[in-house]
Amino acid sequence: MATHVRHPIGLPALRPADARTFASLYAVESFARATVSSVIPIQAYEILRNEQIVSILYTVVALLGLSVTLFMPMLIRRFARRWVYTAGACLLAVGSLFFVTHTLAGQLAGMLCRVMGASALSITLSLYIMDHIRKTDFMQAESLRMAWSMLAWTSGPTLGIFLYTRFGIYAAHGAVAIFAMALLALFWTYRLGDNQSIRPGKTRPANPLANIGRFVAQPRLRLAWLIAFGRSCFWTTFFVYGPLFMVITGEGELAGGLLVSAGNALLFTAIFWGRVGQRFGGRRTMTSAYFAMSAMLLAAGAVGESVPFLTGALLLCGAFFAIALDALGSTAFMRSVRFYERAQMAAVYRTYLDFSELTPPLVYSVVLAFFGLGSVFATLGLLAAVCGFVTWRYLPKSL
């Protein structure tokens, strides 16, 4: 049998991961999360029948989610990134199983699974992006990722409400499980590999508190966190107080829903902002976007309840500039973090999302005790102005 030759089995060629790879993963993930983004608070209210207790439930989940985020590097250190990403997708599907019980325990467990899954997916996807995309291409990759998620965040909430009201709880959360499994299949089809160089060495701290200290000690990482925190505060305010403003001023729930949908639809402009950032530089573009967003919010606060539709239009203009920060803001982190501590710093960086969900309602509760609802937008406008000044003052011109 010396003449017998065993030919290798042909395998299909795999295209190297690029910006479209991560944009497609994020788009499917966005469908999995956006589909029930409007259903979950409705479900919580149906169970608890008290707005204040619903707020407490969200606060508890946000605090627990913050803890999970900080401990995520320990999981990445212990397991390969692909398995942490896989676990994140599975947690979205498992959360659906808890939600369909329509009990308080099931609601809490489902919300926790959703938060943990989103945290795992966000951190590992960021690591993959930094691993496969060149620093000079971060703006283009991030703007493309935001643009591809536009369809999900525009149609997903409406789809979820339609399934929930027309076909019941199993249809709405079943759709999430289907999207989560589709995400898992797509991820393993791409066969993304782990870069061993980003795995922390034995001398690197794995303690979450040590990671926070290391993060805070680096000025450029602090700046990247503030940029992300400011624009995330805008979206938290826009999604919660925008519809609430329309209802309180008598324009109705439909007007509030259309306002949110219109804001999400503007995500397609992320590609435009990516090109602007490449043409004029990230520092100049992000600073201008923050100051323009601040002007729109201050104007919305000044108009207030006197002309509701004008206030809504000003909020949409603010959303247009906020998308510039969505498209470009994360590049400040990706181009500043050291390669050997990406996992630890990515986990701390992502806490901006948890703090942006906790801080604004606390601040607004104090402001609303003295002023009308328009003061919420004016307060956010002042924060945007501060973020814009800090960005202009400290972000390197070379970004």
Side-chain angles (χ1 to χ4, degrees), residues 120-314:
L121 292 170
S122 174
I123 293 173
T124 50
L125 186 64
S126 295
L127 294 176
Y128 279 123
I129 291 173
M130 288 186 283
D131 201 20
H132 291 85
I133 304 296
R134 294 181 302 177
K135 286 187 175 182
T136 54
D137 296 332
F138 279 155
M139 288 187 185
Q140 178 184 2
E142 286 299 283
S143 60
L144 184 67
R145 186 163 68 98
M146 291 297 108
W148 280 34
S149 69
M150 180 268 294
L151 180 61
W153 290 108
T154 303
S155 62
T158 303
L159 173 63
I161 290 293
F162 172 76
L163 292 175
Y164 186 68
T165 56
R166 186 71 178 270
F167 300 102
I169 190 171
Y170 288 95
H173 292 289
V176 173
I178 292 173
F179 284 125
M181 292 301 99
L183 173 64
L184 200 56
L186 184 62
F187 171 74
W188 281 97
T189 299
Y190 286 143
R191 301 203 295 271
L192 296 175
D194 288 12
N195 184 349
Q196 297 299 318
S197 66
I198 76 160
R199 295 176 69 87
K202 293 182 179 179
T203 59
R204 292 289 164 188
N207 188 306
L209 295 179
N211 293 338
I212 294 173
R214 178 63 183 157
F215 188 98
V216 173
Q218 301 181 60
R220 289 183 65 175
L221 294 185
R222 296 200 306 265
L223 176 58
W225 190 94
L226 179 65
I227 292 172
F229 173 75
R231 52 103 167 168
S232 189
C233 283
F234 172 86
W235 289 117
T236 298
T237 304
F238 182 80
F239 289 139
V240 175
Y241 292 91
L244 182 62
F245 177 83
M246 288 300 175
V247 172
I248 290 177
T249 55
E251 303 302 329
E253 296 178 356
L254 178 59
L258 290 174
L259 177 66
V260 171
S261 295
N264 285 331
L266 289 173
L267 281 170
F268 80 90
T269 62
I271 294 178
F272 162 77
W273 284 117
R275 293 174 179 173
V276 172
Q278 288 180 317
R279 173 67 177 83
F280 298 101
R283 175 176 176 265
R284 184 182 300 178
T285 304
M286 284 188 276
T287 299
S288 301
Y290 255 129
F291 284 135
M293 184 173 73
S294 174
M296 295 300 105
L297 289 168
L298 291 174
V303 175
E305 301 175 25
S306 58
V307 188
F309 279 109
L310 177 56
T311 301
L314 290 168

Side-chain angles (χ1 to χ4, degrees), residues 292-340:
M293 184 173 73
S294 174
M296 295 300 105
L297 289 168
L298 291 174
V303 175
E305 301 175 25
S306 58
V307 188
F309 279 109
L310 177 56
T311 301
L314 290 168
L315 291 178
L316 284 178
C317 291
F320 172 70
F321 294 109
I323 290 169
L325 299 164
D326 284 338
L328 307 177
S330 59
T331 60
F333 169 76
M334 292 181 175
R335 297 182 65 173
S336 302
V337 65
R338 293 180 171 88
F339 76 94
Y340 55 79

Side-chain angles (χ1 to χ4, degrees), residues 10-15 191:
L11 293 175
L14 186 66
R15 189 183 67 186
R191 301 203 295 271

Side-chain angles (χ1 to χ4, degrees), residues 58-113:
Y58 270 88
T59 302
V60 170
V61 171
L63 290 172
L64 292 175
L66 176 61
S67 302
V68 171
T69 299
L70 292 175
F71 279 94
M72 196 60 64
M74 300 180 68
L75 295 177
I76 295 175
R77 182 187 180 94
R78 176 67 179 82
F79 303 101
R81 269 184 293 158
R82 63 172 66 92
W83 295 116
V84 177
Y85 190 96
T86 299
C90 291
L91 280 170
L92 294 182
V94 171
S96 298
L97 297 177
F98 285 114
F99 279 124
V100 296
T101 63
H102 210 267
T103 62
L104 179 57
Q107 187 75 11
L108 177 61
M111 293 173 71
L112 286 175
C113 285

